[in-house]
Amino acid sequence: MNEADGTPPWHALQVDEALERLESDTGGLDREAARERLERYGPNRLPAPERTGPVKRFLLQFHNVLIYILIVAGVGTALLGHWIDAWVIFGVVLVNAVIGHIQEGKAEQALDAIRHMLSPKALVARDGQRRTVPAEDLVPGDVVILQAGDKVPADLRLFRTHNLRVDEAVLTGESVVVDKQTDPVVADAGLADRASMAFSGTLVAYGQARGVVVGTGTETEIGRISTMLGEVQTLTTPLLRQIDEFGRWLSGAIVVLAGLTFAFGYWVRDYALVETFLAAVSLAVAAIPEGLPAIMTITLAIGVQRMAGRNAIIRRLPAVETLGSVTTICSDKTGTLTRNEMTVKSIVTAEREFEVSGVGYEPEGRFATGDEEIAVEDQPVLAETLRAILLCNDAEVYHSNGRWVMEGDPTEGALVAAALKGGLDHKELNRRLSRIDVIPFESSYKFMATLHHEDPAGSGVIYLKGAPERVLAVCDKERTQGGDRPLERDRWETWMERIAARGQRLLAVAAKEAGADKSELEFPDIEDGGLTLLAVCGIIDPPRDEAVKAVAECQKAGIRVKMITGDHGVTARAIADELGIQTASGVVTGHDLEEITDEELRHRVRDIDVFARTTPEHKLRLVTAIQANRHVVAMTGDGVNDAPALKRADVGVAMGIKGTEASREASQMVLADDNFASIAAAVEEGRTVYDNLKKAILFLLPTNGGQAFTIVAAILLGLTLPLTPVQVLWVNMVTAVTLALALAFEPTEKDVMRRPPRPPGTPILSRFLLWRIGFVSLLLVAGTFGHFTWMLTQTDDLELARTVAINTLVVGQIFYLFNSRYIVQSALNWEGFFGSRAVLIAIGVLVVLQALFTYAPPVQFLFGTSAIGLEAWGRILLFGVALLLLVEAEKRVLRGNGLARHG
C-alpha cells in the first residue's frame, strides 16, 4: 500500500485521520451509506478468473509436435488401408491426451482456493447496532467487530484492541501469532510489521478488537496476491522444451528423408509412382517413434508412484522430470526447514546457562551445561524456573493417537514441553500449587502473572513471565543456589544479547512470595516491584534434523539452497547457520529488496542465500531473478503469500499438512509430510526419471533408425523393401510396449546425487547420444539388411526373407536392451543381465509375441510372415551377441578417453 497507487498507507495514519478519509466514525455506517458504497465499490469478493473450458483444455493436449507426428503416422497407415494399425496409433494419441487432461484438470484452482479463504460472515456496527452480515456485503468505512476464532473478513485499520493476537502465517509466513495495537507504524513498514492492521483471511487467535474496513475484494492484501497469481505466467518445463525442439527436428528430418527417398526412387530407380509413395510412407512410419509419447508418459507416471512412496505427491506429470534438473531450491523457513513447533533451547539463571535438547512439543530431551548432563533435582533454581513456566501458563501438551499434541499459544506450549522434559507432572503440580488468580497476558503490558497457594491453605507465590524488559523492570533481586542477591542487570543484558544473536526469542521468568491470606492478584502486586528474577528462556522454531542432512545432500548434488522467509533477519541467519545454508554474504531483508532494481537483484541473488521479512511480491521477484540467471527453481511454501511464487517457479512445492489450499493448488508438487528432506528425495527420483527417459530414447531411436535406413538402403540399391509398413508398425509398437517400457522401471544409479544438475539448456540428445544412436542404427541396418539380402540369394520366398530380417532386428534390440541399462558403464556383469526383473519379464513377453508373429497362422496371414528354421535362429542370435559386444567395446573406448559422462 502506498500513495503512488492511490491507496493511503492506512497502517501509518492516526485512527482519526483514517476514519476521516473513509468518511466514517467508530459507530460505523448507516444502512443507506453501506448500500450506496456497495454499489460504488462492489462486493467484497475476488472476481472469478477467465478459465480454459474442459473441451479446449482437452484439445490443447494434442498441441505437441510428437503428437502431430503420431497423427501423421496414423493417417499414413490409414491411407495404406491398414485400419487396425491406424486405430492402435490413434488410441495411443487419445490415451496420452486423456492422461494429460486428468493430470492438469485442476491446474488453475488456486484462485478459487484463495476466494474460499474469505470469511462468509462478519459482525459489524451499523445504524448504531451490532449486526451479522455476509462478508461480501462489507464496504470501506464499515466497522467490524473481531473476536477470538474469527477469520478477518476484510483489511481493517484497528482503532480498539483488547489482548488481540492474530495468526498471519498464511499471509506473512510468521511462525508465531502477532500482537496487534492501535498506534500507527512507520509508512514503509513491511507487511509483517503493520501491527495496527488486521488483514483479510487471517485468523484471530486471542482477544477482541474493532476496526474500520479500509480495503475489500481485490483491494485487500489477499486480493493483491490473487491478482498477482492471475498475472503470473507458468513456465514450460525443461523436458517439454527439449522434447518440443527434438520433435521439430525429427519431424523435419523425416519429411526431408522421405522426400529425397521418393525423388530418388521415382526419378533415378524408375519405381512406379504408387510403389514409390508407399515406400516413402513406409520410411516415415519406420522413422517415427510412435511409442515415445506413451513411454514418456508412463515413465513419468512411474516416477509419480515412486515419489508418492517418498511423501512427494506430484500434481502435474512433467514436474517429475523438472525436479531432476533443479539447480536452486528456494525454501520457506517455517514448517519446511523447521518444525513449526516452538522449542525452548536455552535457560539462563543467575549462575549458569542450561542447554535444552529435543525439539517440538514431544517432552523428550535433557538439560546440560556444555557436555555435562544435568539432573533437574540437583539444580533448585532450574527446578523452580520449570515449575514457574508450567504454572504460569494456559497451554496444554498431551499424548493422543500416537503423537504429542499442543493446544494453546505456541510459545506457552514450548514452555510446557520444557517443564515436562524436567520430569514435572502438570496435574500433580496444579493440585499442589493451585491457581488462585491470574492477570492474563496482554500486548499492552507484555506479561502474564499467576497467584498460587500451596494446599492445604499454605503460603502463596506469584509467578510472572513476559518480555524481558518488562520483567527486569519489576525485579530487584536474582535467585541463586545460595539464595537471593541483588540483580546484576548489565550481566543479564549481555547474556540476553548473546542468546538473541542465536535467533532465539527471549522470555523472562520471575517470582514473588505472597501471604497465605492473599486471594486476588492486582497490577500493583507486579508494578510495585520486589520480584526475584529466576531465569531467561531462549525459544526458537528449530531446524528439522532431517532437513540439515537434506540441505547437505542437495549441496553435494550441486543444488543451491536459499531460504526466503517472512521471519526476522537474526532468526533467519541463526537457522540458516544450523542448516548449513551460507550466510557469509549476509542476509537481505524485504526492505533492502525495495531499494534495488530487478537488474541489481539478478546480480545479488547469485551471492545471497538468506532473505528475511519478505512479502509475496518479494518472493515472486526473487524467483524471477534467479530464473533470469538461467537456473531451474523449485520453490517451497505453505501460505497464501507463497502462491504467486509457487506458480512462477519451475517446480512449486506446497505443504500437505500445514499448507493452505491456495498454495497446494498453485503448486506442481505437494509434500505429504511437510518435510524439506522429501524434496531431496524427489530430486533424486526426478534425476532417475530423466536417466530412464534418456535410456528409453536411446533405445527407441536406433530401432527407428535401423528400420528407416534399411528401407533407404533397399531403395538406393533398387531392391524389394525388406519391411512392409505393417511389419514396421509391429516392430515399433511391440518393442516399445515391451522392451522400452522395461527401462522406465530402472532403479536409481548409485552416483545420481553426486552429479551436478544438468544445465537447463542441455539438449536431450547430446553429441555423444547422437553418436550412439547412429552407431547402433548402422549395426542394426547391417544385420537386418545384410541378413535379408543374403536370404534372397538363398531362396525366392520373400515372406521368409522378411521374417528373418524382422527377427534379426528384434533380437538385435533385445541384446541392445542390456547395453541400454547403463548408458556409459559396462553391462557385462550379473547385475547388468539379471539385475532388473522388468527387463527379464519384457524379454520373455517379446519372445512369446515374436513366436506368435513367426509361427501362428492367423498372425502370419495378417503380417505376411512365415516360419523359420533353427539355422536361421542361430545366425540371428549370433548377430545379437555381436551387437552387444560391439556396443560394450564402444563404451569402453569412450570411457577410456573420457568422452562420455552420464550421457
Side-chain angles (χ1 to χ4, degrees):
M1 291 185 183
N2 52 60
E3 297 282 4
D5 64 8
T7 305
W10 298 107
H11 54 279
L13 301 181
Q14 294 288 347
V15 170
D16 291 344
E17 185 181 353
L19 289 168
E20 185 180 339
R21 289 200 185 201
L22 291 162
E23 299 178 6
S24 185
D25 57 41
T26 56
L29 302 173
D30 59 40
R31 190 179 307 171
E32 185 58 31
R35 186 189 61 76
E36 184 272 324
R37 293 189 188 198
L38 187 61
E39 290 180 5
R40 191 196 322 170
Y41 294 106
N44 177 34
R45 60 170 179 253
L46 302 179
E50 290 186 21
R51 291 295 175 84
T52 303
V55 174
K56 185 178 179 181
R57 198 166 64 234
F58 178 72
L59 292 176
L60 284 173
Q61 302 301 319
F62 299 94
H63 185 51
N64 178 297
V65 176
L66 273 177
I67 298 299
Y68 296 156
I69 293 173
L70 273 180
I71 292 171
V72 169
V75 170
T77 310
L79 289 174
L80 292 172
H82 296 281
W83 290 103
I84 294 175
D85 305 301
W87 286 120
V88 167
I89 295 172
F90 292 137
V92 169
V93 172
L94 189 62
V95 167
N96 189 68
V98 169
I99 290 173
H101 186 261
I102 291 170
Q103 285 291 333
E104 297 177 10
K106 296 182 179 181
E108 296 302 323
Q109 291 183 5
L111 295 171
D112 280 341
I114 289 181
R115 286 203 302 277
H116 293 156
M117 292 190 65
L118 296 178
S119 172
K121 297 286 183 184
L123 183 62
V124 299
R126 280 195 185 165
D127 296 321
Q129 296 180 324
R130 289 188 175 204
R131 298 188 184 280
T132 299
V133 300
E136 64 179 30
D137 289 349
L138 288 179
V139 294
D142 258 327
V143 169
V144 174
I145 301 158
L146 297 176
Q147 302 175 73
D150 286 351
K151 191 176 283 184
V152 181
D155 281 5
L156 309 178
R157 172 61 170 93
L158 301 170
F159 60 78
R160 187 181 305 161
T161 63
H162 178 71
N163 197 20
L164 182 67
R165 306 175 81 185
V166 179
D167 181 351
E168 295 183 338
V170 297
L171 197 62
T172 66
E174 276 278 14
S175 53
V176 295
V177 293
V178 180
D179 294 325
K180 295 292 183 177
Q181 41 88 15
T182 59
D183 294 334
V185 297
V186 293
D188 62 355
L191 197 63
D193 298 317
R194 297 176 188 174
S196 58
M197 299 287 294
F199 297 109
S200 179
T202 59
L203 186 68
V204 178
Y206 301 96
Q208 299 89 37
R210 288 194 177 210
V212 61
V213 174
V214 297
T216 60
T218 56
E219 297 304 311
T220 62
E221 288 297 328
I222 206 169
R224 288 172 59 244
I225 293 173
S226 176
T227 303
M228 283 168 54
L229 193 58
E231 293 169 353
V232 171
Q233 293 190 356
T234 306
L235 299 182
T236 184
T237 73
L239 178 69
L240 293 182
R241 287 195 295 267
Q242 291 168 356
I243 288 291
D244 195 44
E245 184 181 337
F246 167 68
R248 286 196 301 270
W249 173 84
L250 183 62
S251 57
I254 289 170
V255 170
V256 170
L257 185 60
L260 289 174
T261 304
F262 177 85
F264 184 85
Y266 185 67
W267 279 295
V268 178
R269 289 295 179 191
D270 294 324
Y271 282 108
L273 182 63
V274 173
E275 188 181 356
T276 312
F277 175 74
L278 289 175
V281 169
S282 295
L283 173 60
V285 171
I288 293 170
E290 290 92 343
L292 184 56
I295 291 296
M296 191 172 80
T297 302
I298 291 166
T299 304
L300 293 173
I302 290 167
V304 167
Q305 287 182 323
R306 285 178 170 175
M307 288 183 185
R310 302 181 76 171
N311 294 311
I313 311 301
I314 300 296
R315 297 187 65 250
R316 295 180 187 124
L317 271 184
V320 178
E321 178 279 330
T322 311
L323 277 161
S325 58
V326 163
T327 59
T328 302
I329 298 175
C330 296
S331 180
D332 191 25
K333 174 183 72 69
T334 305
T336 311
L337 292 167
T338 66
R339 296 175 61 93
N340 199 17
E341 294 178 351
M342 302 303 288
T343 305
V344 176
K345 298 299 286 183
S346 309
I347 297 179
V348 177
T349 65
E351 296 170 303
R352 9 187 11 177
E353 178 181 341
F354 300 97
E355 297 163 4
V356 188
S357 65
V359 291
Y361 302 123
E362 185 176 354
E364 296 291 332
R366 299 285 184 270
F367 296 83
T369 300
D371 295 330
E372 180 189 356
E373 192 172 312
I374 298 297
V376 172
E377 55 270 21
D378 296 336
Q379 302 293 326
V381 182
L382 174 61
E384 185 167 8
T385 299
L386 296 178
R387 197 157 52 242
I389 61 178
L390 187 58
L391 290 169
C392 187
N393 200 313
D394 288 328
E396 284 191 45
V397 174
Y398 58 90
H399 196 260
S400 175
N401 296 325
R403 66 190 188 96
W404 287 90
V405 179
M406 189 281 296
E407 286 187 6
D409 177 78
T411 300
E412 290 201 322
L415 297 172
V416 172
L420 298 181
K421 289 173 186 176
L424 275 65
D425 185 313
H426 205 165
K427 289 182 180 177
E428 172 61 25
L429 194 60
N430 277 323
R431 187 193 61 76
R432 189 163 58 84
L433 280 165
S434 55
R435 182 187 291 188
I436 305 301
D437 201 5
V438 61
I439 298 176
F441 179 89
E442 191 160 328
S443 53
S444 58
Y445 47 80
K446 295 182 179 177
F447 65 74
M448 173 183 180
T450 52
L451 170 65
H452 301 267
H453 279 179
E454 280 199 46
D455 288 334
S459 59
V461 61
I462 296 170
Y463 286 127
L464 172 75
K465 77 172 194 307
E469 66 273 15
R470 291 291 288 121
V471 175
L472 263 69
V474 296
C475 291
D476 54 17
K477 297 185 290 294
E478 60 188 33
R479 186 145 299 169
T480 70
Q481 294 211 153
D484 295 351
R485 67 187 185 195
L487 182 72
E488 295 183 39
R489 188 177 299 274
D490 291 343
R491 186 162 49 81
W492 283 99
E493 295 284 357
T494 303
W495 264 337
M496 288 191 294
E497 285 177 14
R498 193 168 69 225
I499 296 171
R502 301 176 199 155
Q504 297 177 18
R505 289 182 168 87
L506 302 177
L507 185 138
V509 187
K512 181 180 183 180
E513 290 183 1
D517 58 344
K518 186 167 184 60
S519 60
E520 290 186 5
L521 190 57
E522 299 172 333
F523 276 99
D525 295 321
I526 306 299
E527 301 291 359
D528 291 349
L531 279 83
T532 300
L533 184 63
L534 298 177
V536 172
C537 302
I539 305 169
I540 198 168
D541 179 14
R544 295 173 178 265
D545 293 337
E546 58 272 33
V548 177
K549 183 180 174 185
V551 167
E553 190 177 343
C554 287
Q555 291 168 340
K556 213 181 294 179
I559 299 168
R560 193 95 173 257
V561 180
K562 296 180 184 289
M563 180 195 293
I564 304 176
T565 177
D567 218 332
H568 293 277
V570 173
T571 306
R573 180 191 285 269
I575 296 296
D577 287 337
E578 287 193 55
L579 286 162
I581 297 173
Q582 77 90 15
T583 56
S585 302
V587 175
V588 171
T589 66
H591 184 73
D592 300 328
L593 293 175
E594 299 281 2
E595 307 296 320
I596 60 177
T597 65
D598 288 344
E599 185 59 30
E600 289 173 319
L601 180 59
R602 180 182 164 186
H603 289 93
R604 292 290 296 276
V605 294
R606 293 172 183 167
D607 303 316
I608 306 293
D609 283 350
V610 181
F611 300 87
R613 302 310 268 174
T614 53
T615 65
E617 292 95 332
H618 297 149
K619 293 182 178 185
L620 183 56
R621 279 187 72 200
L622 285 166
V623 170
T624 306
I626 297 166
Q627 288 172 329
N629 289 324
R630 294 180 59 78
H631 282 270
V632 178
V633 180
M635 169 78 191
T636 77
D638 56 4
V640 177
N641 59 322
D642 298 317
L646 287 171
K647 186 178 178 185
R648 170 69 193 192
D650 297 278
V651 183
V653 183
M655 304 298 110
I657 300 173
K658 295 177 181 174
T660 59
E661 187 64 20
S663 65
R664 287 196 287 269
E665 292 298 339
S667 66
Q668 289 84 37
M669 184 173 94
V670 178
L671 300 184
D673 59 352
D674 289 12
N675 194 335
F676 182 86
S678 296
I679 302 174
V683 168
E684 182 181 303
E685 291 294 347
R687 291 187 174 189
T688 300
V689 164
Y690 187 78
D691 278 357
N692 292 349
L693 279 172
K694 202 157 54 174
K695 290 172 185 176
I697 291 170
L698 199 55
F699 175 78
L700 280 173
L701 293 190
T703 302
N704 296 107
Q707 293 174 125
F709 287 111
T710 297
I711 293 168
V712 170
I715 292 172
L716 290 176
L717 295 173
L719 299 176
T720 307
L721 293 183
L723 308 167
T724 66
V726 71
Q727 289 170 345
V728 166
L729 276 172
W730 167 268
V731 174
N732 278 3
M733 298 309 294
V734 168
T735 54
V737 169
T738 53
L739 301 186
L741 183 57
L743 293 171
F745 294 90
E746 282 294 290
T748 302
E749 293 189 13
K750 292 177 182 176
D751 66 340
V752 75
M753 288 301 278
R754 293 196 293 273
R755 308 175 199 163
R758 70 180 188 278
T762 304
I764 198 163
L765 293 179
S766 63
R767 282 181 296 177
F768 159 66
L769 293 185
L770 286 172
W771 152 256
R772 172 70 62 77
I773 290 166
F775 176 64
V776 178
S777 294
L778 286 175
L779 291 178
L780 289 171
V781 169
T784 305
F785 188 69
H787 208 170
F788 174 74
T789 53
W790 185 84
M791 286 296 294
L792 288 180
T793 64
Q794 305 298 310
T795 177
D796 293 331
D797 189 343
L798 182 59
E799 286 191 352
L800 177 62
R802 282 176 169 167
T803 307
V804 168
I806 292 166
N807 279 295
T808 302
L809 180 64
V810 170
V811 169
Q813 288 178 284
I814 288 174
F815 279 90
Y816 179 54
L817 180 64
F818 292 113
N819 297 121
S820 301
R821 291 198 60 216
Y822 304 100
I823 295 174
V824 177
Q825 299 304 316
S826 174
L828 298 178
N829 51 59
W830 180 269
E831 181 67 24
F833 287 113
F834 301 103
S836 171
R837 188 161 169 258
V839 165
L840 297 177
I841 290 171
I843 291 172
V845 170
L846 183 57
V847 166
V848 171
L849 290 173
Q850 279 304 115
L852 291 171
F853 178 82
T854 306
Y855 297 108
V859 185
Q860 287 177 334
F861 173 76
L862 284 172
F863 290 97
T865 60
S866 62
I868 60 178
L870 288 176
E871 185 182 346
W873 280 116
R875 291 191 301 272
I876 289 170
L877 290 172
L878 190 62
F879 165 70
V881 172
L883 186 145
L884 172 75
L885 295 176
L886 283 170
V887 175
E888 289 301 317
E890 176 251 11
K891 285 187 190 179
R892 184 166 185 176
V893 170
L894 293 174
R895 283 199 308 272
N897 293 325
L899 297 176
R901 291 180 181 175
H902 313 297

